[in-house]
Amino acid sequence: MTGRVRSKTSRSGIRFITIALPVAMFVILSFTASSFFTAQNLANVGNQVTALLIVSLGQLIVAIGGGVDLSVGSMLSLTSAIIVTYDPAIVIPLAILAGCVLGVVNGTGVAVFGVHPLVMTLATGTFVQGLTLLVSPVPGGVVAPAIEALAHGRPFGIQPSLLWCAVAILLCWLLLARSAFGLRLYALGANARNASLNGVTVVGPIIACYVMCSLAAVAAGIFLTARVSTGDPTIGAAFGLDSITAIALGGVQLSGGVGSVPGVILGVVTLGLATNGMNLLGVSPFLRMAATGLLLLGAVSLQRRKTIGV
Amino acid sequence: MTLSDTAVRTRGLRLLNMATALPIAYAGTLILLVCAYVFRPALLSPLLLLLIIRQAAPLGLAVIGQSLCMRILSIDLSFGGVAIGVSYILTSGYVPGSEAVLIGCALLFGAAVGLANAFFIVRLRASSVIVTLAMGLLLTGVVIAFSQFRAPGDAPALLKYIGQSRVSGVPLAPLLWLALLIPVAWFLRRSVLGHYIDAIGANPRAAHATGIPYGAIVVIVHVASSLFAVFSAFLLVGFVGMGSLDIGRDLALNSLAAVILGGVTFGSGRGGVLGPAVAAFMLTFLFNLLTSFGLGEPSKLMLQGAIIAVAAIAYSARTKT
């Protein structure tokens, strides 16, 4: 039977370690850091994790299609810069428009011209970072109350971060697990040539992936800016690699075709707990950056690919 | 249509093909020089040109390493981490010993980073972009965290001498650049390793099947690439005269831009060694020109991004047809 050829990794990519890692971290933290279980800290974790989760879900969509998007961090920063710079009435449509343009450029470069996704998105990410600094050179500015309410209001008494997470998870899950688009995307990511020979169009869906990923970064940017109530042109700098680390920890194969929403949630929780734990234990922010690098190296080492190189 | 007509036309086509196959850097440099001639003629004075070439030397050295990586379908984005690490080793005063020992330590450090990169890429088959980005993050984080305890001090006198002195009017740094560039060019063209690198770039699977030691070459190339980053950091530290946590911050991105502009892309060494070197000069000249127009960091970043994207698209579109 050929059904068990890929038995080592299912399409969800979730393995024992994907689940064990966040659980172990949770247990360790609750013993070592006394302030971990306070309501304040748990709310903090929730807030810190929300933006990362939204970006990582976008990254998941691109990764299933066989690509990767390093420009999400810059897009998040640009959103923040736009919100504090222009007329509050147009900032959200403007940010969404910018996200669409960036996604189309990324997707076209990758799907039409065949540029490697990492090179393409590194380039556009650098461009967008420059643009962001042009729009708003220094941190600061005021966020309009209507936008602030998006991350501070409590409809039905629910934490706003939970609401954002729930909507993002639901949308992404519907798209990947319950739509024809999602099915085609898994096929494309697993083997673009086979999918194309079986009648799946290639260019359109890939461009759509990058657009959705950029829009996820815009959404995360709106949430984050509304929450901290001020703009920062470098607020997203770490999100590119962080989101890749999170999805890799969640069992998503960066070569495409394998990954799931529950896996990404587990990966984001792992990274969020690791960051929060180091925070509570008083580790320097720069060593935390180094630790993220180490986690990323560990996570990609778990996924043996067939090819050597980029 | 007579025979001579078609002959003329094919020759014309061939010339056109050759012209478009040349690295973008050549035409780009020409355009920039003309631009400078029209708007900022002062930049073209021999004195300033020499200074710009001197300024381009560190990038030029890093570009050699990056082009080696890209020839074998890999990439090295850990240059920033290597440079900051080298700066710390040379100037923090933590490492005991004479200047020679310090420089030796820096070289060992570079080789170790290259080996670690190669280990993840070859043995664990991880994507080189992600491995080297993570490595850069790791090194930068560790070095900055450590330097909070001790501010960087002076650079070794030897490096200051190399960075700042001149031989009969010509700065020493570009001479060093040339002294490394020529042997590398010769080596890539003449040695067995050079041919292996070409073979892997042309078709990795075929190269592997014919018994070329694929893994070993990736290791060698990554160690070499990190060592070039160390040399580049030597020059940078020598220029500044003291340690800094800002050193080599955009080395990785600029070297990527220069290599692509210089006609070397994943798996193709068409631009040779000269193309990327010219591109390193072109980028440095461009940044000087931008500064003279009063444009700052944001426009520099935008141009960097646009250049990489446009050049990558142009090459991909060309190789497809």
Side-chain angles (χ1 to χ4, degrees), chain B residues 5-269:
Chain B
D5 257 2
T6 44
V8 167
R9 183 179 292 181
T10 48
R11 189 186 296 159
L13 268 180
R14 206 183 301 147
L15 274 176
L16 194 71
N17 271 340
M18 270 172 65
T20 51
L22 275 178
I24 296 173
Y26 296 159
T29 309
L30 206 66
I31 293 169
L32 284 181
L33 289 177
V34 172
C35 262
Y37 181 75
V38 176
F39 298 109
R40 291 284 184 280
L43 271 181
L44 294 181
S45 76
L47 191 73
L48 272 179
L49 270 182
L50 266 181
L51 273 180
I52 293 173
I53 293 177
R54 168 179 174 266
Q55 202 188 340
L59 178 60
L61 288 178
V63 158
I64 300 177
Q66 188 72 271
S67 73
L68 287 177
C69 287
M70 290 188 77
R71 276 164 179 250
I72 57 156
L73 303 157
S74 192
I75 200 170
D76 193 345
L77 297 173
S78 62
F79 287 174
V82 173
I84 198 176
V86 168
S87 158
Y88 190 70
I89 289 174
L90 292 177
T91 61
S92 68
Y94 258 130
V95 188
S98 66
E99 284 184 0
V101 175
L102 285 181
I103 289 174
C105 279
L107 287 171
L108 272 181
F109 164 75
V113 173
L115 273 179
N117 281 338
F119 171 77
F120 283 105
I121 293 165
V122 177
R123 268 302 154 97
L124 302 174
R125 303 277 168 93
S127 157
S128 58
V129 179
I130 292 170
V131 167
T132 53
L133 272 177
M135 189 63 79
L137 203 63
L138 184 66
L139 293 173
T140 313
V142 168
V143 170
I144 296 183
F146 271 101
S147 57
Q148 283 172 331
F149 306 117
R150 198 155 184 167
D154 270 355
L158 174 66
L159 295 182
K160 273 198 261 187
Y161 176 76
I162 292 176
Q164 292 164 3
S165 62
R166 291 160 177 271
V167 177
S168 59
V170 182
L172 210 53
L175 293 179
L176 190 76
W177 179 15
L178 214 62
L180 282 168
L181 193 68
I182 293 168
V184 170
W186 182 83
F187 190 73
L188 282 177
R189 190 161 283 216
R190 291 282 163 202
S191 72
V192 176
L193 184 67
H195 290 299
Y196 281 174
I197 287 176
D198 282 345
I200 290 174
N203 188 336
R205 282 176 68 186
H208 191 62
T210 47
I212 288 174
Y214 189 176
I217 287 172
V218 177
V219 175
I220 293 172
V221 164
H222 269 280
V223 171
S225 160
S226 291
L227 285 179
F228 277 111
V230 173
F231 290 134
S232 169
F234 281 168
L235 286 188
L236 286 171
V237 171
F239 286 171
V240 185
M242 52 190 274
S244 150
L245 295 177
D246 238 12
I247 261 174
R249 206 161 31 114
D250 40 10
L251 207 54
L253 213 55
N254 278 337
S255 67
L256 180 66
V259 169
I260 296 178
L261 282 174
V264 175
T265 43
F266 291 121
S268 136

Side-chain angles (χ1 to χ4, degrees), chain A residues 7-310:
Chain A
S7 61
K8 265 175 87 180
T9 50
S10 62
R11 196 172 82 173
S12 76
I14 298 178
R15 282 181 285 182
F16 174 68
I17 191 162
T18 320
I19 301 169
L21 214 55
V23 173
M25 233 166 237
F26 197 79
V27 172
I28 293 170
L29 273 181
S30 48
F31 279 111
T32 51
S34 54
S35 49
F36 176 67
F37 260 121
T38 56
Q40 182 60 44
N41 185 53
L42 288 181
N44 269 344
V45 176
N47 276 326
Q48 285 164 2
V49 155
T50 302
L52 181 61
L53 180 73
I54 298 171
V55 174
S56 301
L57 287 171
Q59 193 74 263
L60 166 73
I61 297 175
V62 170
I64 287 176
V68 69
D69 190 346
L70 282 172
S71 65
V72 283
S74 305
M75 190 59 233
L76 205 157
S77 301
L78 179 62
T79 308
S80 179
I82 286 176
I83 287 177
V84 293
T85 309
Y86 299 108
D87 180 9
I90 60 155
V91 286
I92 289 183
L94 195 63
I96 290 174
L97 180 72
C100 288
V101 171
L102 175 65
V104 168
V105 171
N106 281 339
T108 310
V110 171
V112 179
F113 294 104
V115 180
H116 195 284
L118 285 160
V119 174
M120 190 66 208
T121 55
L122 193 67
T124 54
T126 311
F127 180 88
V128 172
Q129 185 59 60
L131 186 66
T132 306
L133 289 171
L134 211 60
V135 171
S136 149
V138 284
V142 188
V143 179
I147 294 172
E148 247 176 26
L150 289 173
H152 289 283
R154 283 169 167 267
F156 319 114
I158 309 169
Q159 276 271 351
S161 56
L162 281 182
L163 218 57
W164 279 80
C165 286
V167 171
I169 289 169
L170 189 71
L171 281 179
C172 190
W173 178 76
L174 281 177
L175 184 80
L176 288 178
R178 284 287 175 272
S179 75
F181 175 84
L183 196 64
R184 295 198 189 109
L185 197 60
Y186 275 102
L188 270 178
N191 192 326
R193 195 177 141 72
N194 281 356
S196 162
L197 289 174
N198 280 298
V200 177
T201 47
V202 178
V203 174
I206 296 290
I207 294 179
C209 282
Y210 283 94
V211 171
M212 280 184 275
C213 185
S214 298
L215 288 180
V218 171
I222 294 172
F223 172 78
L224 214 55
T225 314
R227 214 182 71 76
V228 299
S229 301
T230 183
D232 182 349
T234 54
I235 196 170
F239 275 83
L241 283 182
D242 277 3
S243 63
I244 293 173
T245 312
I247 65 166
L249 284 171
V252 178
Q253 292 281 332
L254 296 173
S255 45
V258 175
S260 66
V261 175
V264 169
I265 299 173
L266 288 170
V268 169
V269 169
T270 309
L271 190 60
L273 286 180
T275 314
N276 181 249
M278 284 185 278
N279 242 335
L280 292 180
L281 298 173
V283 178
S284 112
F286 299 109
L287 280 183
R288 256 184 280 152
M289 179 167 126
T292 310
L294 213 56
L295 263 179
L296 182 54
L297 278 177
V300 291
S301 307
L302 290 175
Q303 326 180 333
R304 259 185 91 89
R305 305 180 307 160
K306 284 199 202 90
T307 50
I308 296 177
V310 281

